[in-house]
Amino acid sequence: MTSLDKPTEDTDQTQPQDARAVTEAALFEAFGGVRGMVETVVPGLLFVAIFTINKDLHLSAIAALAVSLVLVVVRLAMRDTVKHAFSGVFGVAFGVVFAMFTGNAKDFYLPGMLYTLGLAVAYIVTALAGVPLIGLILGPVFKENLSWRTRNPGRKKAYTKASWAWGLILLAKCAILFPLYWWADTTQLGWVLVALKIPPFLLAVWLTWVFLAKAPAPIDVFAEMEAQEKAEQAEKARKAVLAAETAETVETGEPNAGRHRREA
């Protein structure tokens, strides 16, 4: 093996590993990681736990909303991104409003269930339309924006598969929860919903990782724009130098006077 062969072989081995690492980091950022999952589970878990003990709708709802706000405050204090915590607050707040308005504790879960159903439909419809939702979510994270739609068919195919996976998994989740909403009591529905928070999510994220890890690398459109901007600046500088040399030639009557002085 020559000295030239070895670096090439190492590069071939590290590129797939680098692609997987980038994919894992992007998924972690997009979906909030372990902390994001905890923030989505804790409010609902607290609500059903308190309601199971004392059947007090108001206390359960206030406790769930309070812990959601605490999670946001913690994020702000740590100067961390708050988008996942804020989404949790809004979800809990809608649930509290529904439950308080109807007086039915099960309605605390209804907004989240309807959101899940709408999201499942959105994943499937966008996949059918050729603009898979998961690509719209992850494109900016991978710095490829929408380049995968026309310039990277392999990634578009992976995003389409991932969107189908998310849509079908969420539909299966809804197929379990909505019958329970009608037939089960609040505590039964609540504990099943808490149990179904993480496993379907992890399955969808894992399938997304599998599809994207096998897909072509993303096209970094930001790097392309920077390179184009530098090329345009270099071209402007070259034209400015040529214009200066032309002007000097007109004034002195000596062709390429400026270039001769630079070479000297």
Side-chain angles (χ1 to χ4, degrees):
M1 181 181 294
T2 66
S3 59
L4 292 176
D5 292 331
K6 189 173 181 180
T8 303
E9 193 170 292
D10 290 342
T11 302
D12 292 341
Q13 291 176 352
T14 56
Q15 281 180 346
Q17 295 175 356
D18 292 342
R20 290 190 180 95
V22 170
T23 300
E24 290 172 3
L27 290 174
F28 192 90
E29 177 184 344
F31 297 114
V34 175
R35 188 171 180 180
M37 287 187 289
V38 170
E39 290 172 344
T40 61
V41 171
V42 169
L45 177 61
L46 187 61
F47 178 91
V48 69
I50 294 176
F51 191 84
T52 300
I53 295 170
N54 59 20
K55 307 299 180 183
D56 188 330
L57 170 59
H58 292 79
L59 179 60
S60 302
I62 291 171
L65 186 58
V67 75
S68 298
L69 293 172
V70 168
L71 292 172
V72 172
V73 171
V74 171
R75 287 264 192 178
L76 291 172
M78 298 179 65
R79 296 182 179 180
D80 201 355
T81 178
V82 295
K83 62 181 180 180
H84 298 290
F86 266 127
S87 64
V89 168
F90 288 126
V92 172
F94 277 116
V96 169
V97 170
F98 267 66
M100 293 293 190
F101 181 77
T102 63
N104 185 355
K106 284 197 292 186
D107 287 340
F108 173 79
Y109 303 109
L110 188 56
M113 292 166 57
L114 292 173
Y115 173 78
T116 300
L117 178 59
L119 193 59
V121 172
Y123 275 119
I124 292 174
V125 169
T126 55
L128 289 171
V131 193
L133 180 58
I134 199 70
L136 300 178
I137 295 172
L138 294 180
V141 179
F142 282 111
K143 299 181 180 180
E144 60 182 335
N145 286 350
L146 296 179
S147 62
W148 49 267
R149 288 198 62 199
T150 55
R151 300 173 56 193
N152 205 337
R155 285 190 74 80
K156 180 179 179 179
K157 184 177 180 180
Y159 282 139
T160 301
K161 289 180 179 179
S163 289
W164 273 109
W166 278 91
L168 294 176
I169 289 170
L170 293 180
L171 277 182
K173 181 178 177 179
C174 291
I176 297 172
L177 293 178
F178 276 95
L180 288 176
Y181 174 80
W182 295 109
W183 301 330
D185 60 31
T186 301
T187 55
Q188 291 171 335
L189 173 63
W191 287 112
V192 171
L193 196 146
V194 169
L196 289 179
K197 275 283 186 180
I198 302 302
F201 173 81
L202 290 179
L203 176 60
V205 170
W206 178 74
L207 288 174
T208 302
W209 178 84
V210 169
F211 295 140
L212 291 181
K214 297 178 181 179
I219 299 171
D220 191 337
V221 295
F222 295 103
E224 287 184 344
M225 288 189 290
E226 290 177 359
Q228 182 179 359
E229 185 177 353
K230 289 180 181 179
E232 290 175 354
Q233 291 175 349
E235 180 65 16
K236 288 180 180 179
R238 186 184 69 83
K239 289 181 178 179
V241 170
L242 290 176
E245 290 178 351
T246 301
E248 187 172 356
T249 299
V250 171
E251 292 177 359
T252 61
E254 180 182 350
N256 297 325
R259 182 172 64 83
H260 292 157
R261 277 200 296 274
R262 286 200 308 274
E263 291 175 353

